[in-house]
Amino acid sequence: MKAITLRRLSRASTSLPLPPMLARKVSIVNLADFVIDVEQIRPGNHEQQEYPATCCFDNKEVILKVLPKGSNTNFLQTNPSFVMAFEENDMLFCIYEKNDSLKDHINRCKEDGTTFQECYIWLTISNLAKYILKGSITPGTQISTSKILFGGNGEIIIKQDSDQNSGQDMMAQMGAAMYEAPEVLSQSEPDMSAFSWVIGCVIYEMLALEPAFYDRTGTNPFSVFMDITQGKLPPEPQNGSKGLKNLMFNCLKVDKNERINVEDIVSVAETQICQLSQ
C-alpha cells in the first residue's frame, strides 16, 4: 500500500497491474484511513470545512474537504490538487494534496520578521497572470492569497470553491479581507480587468504583509466596501521597488478602463525578472 501512493490509488483500476477484483478492493478508502491533525486546525478550517490530515498507509499530508452527500463535484476536476473523493456517513469527503498557499508564505514572513525578495514577487505575479490567461477561471471568480496555491514544481494553482458567492454574500463577509474589484462588488458585468485589480491586491499584500482592503479598525467592515468602490487606496507599503509599486497602483484603478491589462502585467514582470537575473 505504501508503494502505491494515494494518487495512484485513485486510479487503481486503470494504472495498477492488478486483477479487477483486487484493484476495486484496494482502491476503496474511508475516513479511518486518515488522521486529522488537531493542532493545525484553525477557525478558517471550520468555516470552509477543510481539515489538514495524514493518510495512514503512506503518511502523505492531505486536505480533507467535507461536503453534503450528493453535492455537485464538477468543480473538483478543475483543481490539479484533487486526488479522489469518497462518501461516508451521508457526507462527501474530497481529498486534496496539501499545497502551500501564498498566505502561508506571507504568514511565515511575518513570523520570521522578513520580507519577500523582489525577484520572488515578480515571479509569483508573472505565474499568477499566466494562470489567469489560461482561461481556467472566469472574471469575478473569488481569488485571495489563501486560494493561490503553489504546486510541487512551483506552478500556480487557484483553488476554486464549489460555488462562488454573490455580491450580497460578499457583503456578509466584509469582516475579512476583500480582493474583489469595484465592479464585482457592485454586481456589474466584470471582464478580465477585474483580475488586474486582484493582482494589485496580491502585490500589496506581498509588500505590506497585510491585505490591501480589510477593516483595520475592527469596528466598521462596511468601510472596506466603500473604500474599494470609491477608490480610497490603503497606506503605501514601506517595502518594494518603484517598479513594483507602479504596477500595483496601475492595477488598483477604480475605473477598469484605466487598469493595466493582464497581458501587459506578464510582459512587465518578465522584463523585471530578466533584469534582476542579470
Side-chain angles (χ1 to χ4, degrees):
M1 292 293 287
K2 290 182 179 179
I4 289 173
T5 75
L6 188 60
R7 184 171 281 279
R8 288 192 69 197
L9 190 66
S10 67
R11 303 189 299 269
S13 60
T14 58
S15 65
L16 298 179
L18 300 173
M21 185 178 295
L22 182 57
R24 287 194 296 270
K25 184 175 181 179
V26 301
S27 63
I28 296 174
V29 297
N30 53 54
L31 200 55
D33 293 320
F34 300 90
V35 176
I36 294 178
D37 190 341
V38 178
E39 293 184 356
Q40 292 189 37
I41 292 179
R42 301 292 182 267
N45 294 118
H46 297 299
E47 294 170 5
Q48 299 184 16
Q49 292 288 283
E50 296 180 354
Y51 302 95
T54 302
C55 182
C56 296
F57 65 81
D58 65 357
N59 294 322
K60 186 176 183 63
E61 293 186 353
V62 297
I63 298 294
L64 280 180
K65 183 174 181 65
V66 186
L67 297 170
K69 186 177 180 179
S71 297
N72 184 348
T73 58
N74 292 336
F75 73 98
L76 296 174
Q77 308 307 323
T78 65
N79 192 329
S81 296
F82 174 69
V83 179
M84 64 166 66
F86 62 91
E87 293 183 348
E88 186 173 331
N89 299 327
D90 294 324
M91 302 300 293
L92 175 67
F93 295 89
C94 305
I95 308 172
Y96 293 89
E97 292 177 330
K98 187 175 181 181
N99 299 113
D100 278 348
S101 70
L102 181 54
K103 188 69 174 179
D104 292 329
H105 291 206
I106 291 170
N107 286 339
R108 281 197 287 270
C109 278
K110 292 174 68 174
E111 292 171 1
D112 298 340
T114 59
T115 57
F116 288 107
Q117 292 184 353
E118 181 98 355
C119 192
Y120 177 89
I121 298 177
W122 283 115
L123 186 60
T124 300
I125 295 306
S126 175
N127 289 341
L128 174 59
K130 289 176 181 177
Y131 179 92
I132 289 170
L133 290 173
K134 289 180 182 178
S136 302
I137 51 177
T138 58
T141 297
Q142 289 188 40
I143 302 176
S144 66
T145 52
S146 61
K147 292 184 179 182
I148 298 173
L149 308 180
F150 295 95
N153 58 359
E155 82 278 11
I156 292 286
I157 303 167
I158 304 296
K159 182 178 70 172
Q160 299 185 53
D161 294 330
S162 55
D163 57 337
Q164 295 298 329
N165 293 329
S166 66
Q168 290 181 343
D169 293 330
M170 293 175 197
M171 293 288 288
Q173 299 180 8
M174 284 192 302
M178 301 186 74
Y179 300 79
E180 290 77 19
E183 63 271 21
V184 176
L185 294 180
S186 61
Q187 302 188 52
S188 301
E189 193 67 31
D191 55 26
M192 288 293 289
S193 61
F195 288 128
S196 298
W197 177 277
V198 173
I199 291 173
C201 291
V202 170
I203 295 172
Y204 184 94
E205 192 163 347
M206 294 184 74
L207 292 176
L209 302 183
E210 68 173 15
F213 298 100
Y214 74 102
D215 182 14
R216 287 174 167 78
T217 66
T219 59
N220 186 13
F222 186 75
S223 65
V224 183
F225 177 87
M226 297 301 297
D227 286 348
I228 294 175
T229 55
Q230 295 179 3
K232 182 179 178 181
L233 298 182
E236 182 175 331
Q238 294 183 352
N239 300 317
S241 66
K242 182 178 179 180
L244 266 174
K245 292 181 180 180
N246 285 342
L247 176 59
M248 178 188 73
F249 288 126
N250 283 328
C251 290
L252 297 177
K253 301 281 189 182
V254 174
D255 185 345
K256 64 182 184 180
N257 296 315
E258 296 181 1
R259 294 176 204 150
I260 183 173
N261 62 48
V262 180
E263 291 85 353
D264 288 342
I265 291 175
V266 173
S267 178
V268 171
E270 290 294 311
T271 299
Q272 292 295 327
I273 292 170
C274 289
Q275 291 178 357
L276 289 171
S277 63
Q278 291 176 354

